[in-house]
Structure formats: structure tokens, C-alpha cells
Amino acid sequence: MEPRNWTSGQYFILLGFPKEQCALIFLIFLLILLGNLSIFGIIRIDSRLHTPMYFFLTNLSLLDICYSTTTLPIILSNCIAGEGIISFPRCIAQLYFFVSLGGAECLLLAAMSYDRYVAICNPLRYVIIMSHRLCAQLAISCWLSAFLNSILHTVMTAILPFCGSTHIHHFFCDVPPLLRLSCTDTHTSQTLLYVVSIFLGVSPFIYIIISYVRIISSILKISSSEGRRKTFSTCSAHLMVVTLFYGTANFNYIAPKSGYPPEVESVSSLLYCLLTPLLNPIIYCLRNKEVKSAWSRLFRGSTKSLIFNW
């Protein structure tokens, strides 16, 4: 007898955080919003930061806001209510946006590495190469490619029959835990997930590694140690973000055939959907003199305006 897909009008149960961690989830979500909105706002306000590097950083901040908003409000709601119930349509919608935004971040980090490569390895032509038009085209391509790619995963997952357990051993709806719940052969979906993960996850990561090999090679050719330090500081923040995001994301999606235990997979997912959006503003603010100078100018201007108005 063929398994019947009963989920279209049913619910899944997410096995998420215990209730005592609700305050921590809310605090992390608040910090993510405040941090990324601050980065986005200061770059848009300060004209000195209207450069390709900070254009991509505003896109990254916007991505992180959307990324965390896709998962954390539902996690927080379930945590407070003490129930992990999510309807099938909401689960599929969450999966679509989560996979889309995750893919967009993979591609955007690669575009940011290209920007750093041109700035350090070809500085005399940087302004010509990294034109406003090219930056816009790269950003649009990252967003559009990821959202189109996610349609494949979403459709392939949505049409699977789920006729067994309704318990998802995860904090939110994602492709791997849903594939494990299906009561039919998921080889095609698994293969699709693996191939696309190679395309959107491994390929950009390899490109970033190659870019940084050439960047570091160019930095080592600088005669003064102070010059090497200043040059490397412009891309070290990006390298930290790349290591954190790709390390945890690829671990989660490119797994051995037997897969990882659900607990390990859940922790890995939390690392790239919580830590990356949380740490990005800290990394780029604390290690970036231009951003700190912009905050200083904004603060001084606000103080003078308040004194003058008073």
C-alpha cells in the first residue's frame, strides 16, 4: 500500500529548547537585531562608508536580520508556549526562506572575498573594477540565485509522504531532519541536497580559499611589517566570518551517508544560524577602525546637536 501524504493539513512537533532557556533565546535575538541594524544604519548614514566593501557588508547585515528572523521568533514562541507545534505550510515556508538566505550568505561571502582580492592584489584598478554597477550585479545575483535554488529543495521536500512520526528532532524546519521523517525513498532528494551543497557551499568556499592564498601572497610581498599588518587587518574580519559560517554549515549539509546524530546536527545548525548573525556585527565593529570612526563622528554630531538645541 502506498504511503499517504497526510501532512498538508497536519502539524509537526519541533523538539526545541527547554523552557528555562527562553530568556537566553530572546536576548540573542535582540542582540542580533540591534547589532545588524546598527551596522546597516551607520553605513547608510555615513557617506565615507559608501564603498564596495561596506555595500556588501550592508547586504550581509540585512541577510543576517532576515536569517535569524526566519527561525528565532518561532523557536522563542514554542519555547514560551512549551509546545513545538508548527503546521505543515509554515514548516515548508520556513524551510524555503532558511535555505534561501543561507545560500545567499554563502554566495555573498564569496563576493566579499572577490572585493578584498581586487582591493589588495589590484589596488590601482580597484575603483574601476568594483564599480557600482558590478557591486549591484553581484549582490542581486547572490540573492536571486539562492532564492531560485531553494525552490528545488522546497518542492522536493514538500511532495514527500510523511506518514510516520511527526516529531522533528530539530529546533526548526530544515531539509535533513525532514528527509529522515519521510516514509519513502529519499535518495533523489538526498542527492539533490548534496549536489547543490557542493555548488553553493563547497565551491564558493574553495574560491574564497584560493582568493585568500593570493591575498596573503600579495601581503607577504609588502616590505614593511606595519604595511603588512594594516593590509591584512582589512580582510581578517571577513576571514573569521567565513571560517565560522562555512565550517558549521558544510558540516551540517555535507554529512556521511549514515548522517550525524540529531543532537550533533542541531548544535551545528545553532552555530551557523545563531552565532554567525550574532558575531558578525561584533567582528566588523571591533576590528574595523573606519566603522568605529563613523560611530564616533555620529556620536559627536548628535552631542553637538543636543547642546545647540538646548
Side-chain angles (χ1 to χ4, degrees):
M1 180 178 179
E2 289 294 321
R4 185 168 58 94
N5 189 351
W6 48 261
T7 51
S8 58
Q10 298 293 328
Y11 295 87
F12 288 123
I13 299 176
L14 298 167
L15 304 179
F17 284 93
K19 202 166 186 178
E20 59 270 16
Q21 294 183 345
C22 292
L24 177 61
I25 301 170
F26 176 76
L27 178 61
I28 291 174
F29 185 45
L30 186 63
L31 289 175
I32 288 173
L33 292 180
L34 290 176
N36 285 285
L37 284 173
S38 298
I39 290 289
F40 184 88
I42 193 63
I43 292 174
R44 301 310 304 166
I45 291 171
D46 197 313
S47 59
R48 301 185 191 186
L49 299 181
H50 292 177
T51 63
M53 173 181 172
Y54 294 106
F55 168 77
F56 289 120
L57 186 52
T58 58
N59 275 267
L60 182 64
S61 295
L62 182 60
L63 257 177
D64 284 340
I65 292 170
C66 297
Y67 200 41
S68 57
T69 304
T70 300
T71 57
L72 289 186
I74 293 179
I75 293 175
L76 185 60
S77 174
N78 290 336
C79 180
I80 294 173
E83 299 177 346
I85 296 176
I86 183 171
S87 66
F88 181 73
R90 288 183 67 193
C91 182
I92 293 300
Q94 185 185 61
L95 181 150
Y96 172 74
F97 285 106
F98 182 77
V99 173
S100 298
L101 295 166
E105 185 148 348
C106 286
L107 296 174
L108 184 62
L109 289 173
M112 293 173 73
S113 73
Y114 176 71
D115 170 70
R116 291 299 83 207
Y117 165 75
V118 176
I120 294 172
C121 299
N122 202 351
L124 297 179
R125 301 191 63 222
Y126 177 71
V127 177
I128 298 174
I129 296 174
M130 298 304 297
S131 62
H132 292 298
R133 181 177 181 179
L134 178 63
C135 291
Q137 288 174 340
L138 287 173
I140 292 172
S141 297
C142 292
W143 286 83
L144 189 60
S145 299
F147 274 82
L148 289 176
N149 157 71
S150 185
I151 294 175
L152 292 174
H153 290 301
T154 305
V155 171
M156 292 295 290
T157 306
I159 62 177
L160 290 173
F162 299 96
C163 48
S165 173
T166 59
H167 291 75
I168 300 177
H169 292 272
H170 213 53
F171 302 113
F172 52 87
C173 291
D174 198 3
V175 178
L178 282 175
L179 292 183
R180 285 196 296 268
L181 280 186
S182 178
C183 52
T184 190
D185 182 22
T186 59
H187 177 73
T188 302
S189 297
Q190 292 278 10
T191 303
L192 175 66
L193 178 64
Y194 191 82
V195 170
V196 175
S197 296
I198 293 291
F199 175 72
L200 284 182
V202 176
S203 297
F205 183 64
I206 292 174
Y207 173 79
I208 292 172
I209 294 299
I210 294 173
S211 298
Y212 271 97
V213 168
R214 301 190 67 176
I215 287 171
I216 293 172
S217 176
S218 297
I219 291 175
L220 293 176
K221 294 177 183 178
I222 299 174
S223 55
S224 68
S225 58
E226 181 65 17
R228 289 195 297 268
R229 187 190 64 80
K230 288 183 177 180
T231 304
F232 186 73
S233 67
T234 64
C235 56
S236 59
H238 178 250
L239 191 57
M240 292 172 64
V241 171
V242 165
T243 302
L244 176 64
F245 181 80
Y246 277 101
T248 53
N250 286 331
F251 175 85
N252 197 53
Y253 285 100
I254 305 177
K257 190 173 182 180
S258 57
Y260 298 113
E263 297 78 11
V264 174
E265 192 174 89
S266 297
V267 172
S268 174
S269 298
L270 282 179
L271 288 176
Y272 71 82
C273 77
L274 288 182
L275 277 188
T276 305
L278 179 64
L279 294 181
N280 279 353
I282 299 173
I283 292 172
Y284 281 107
C285 277
L286 295 183
R287 298 182 59 87
N288 193 302
K289 292 182 179 180
E290 291 179 327
V291 174
K292 289 189 286 188
S293 297
W295 278 113
S296 179
R297 289 192 296 270
L298 180 63
F299 179 75
R300 287 199 303 268
S302 300
T303 303
K304 289 180 181 179
S305 177
L306 286 172
I307 294 174
F308 179 79
N309 291 332
W310 178 261

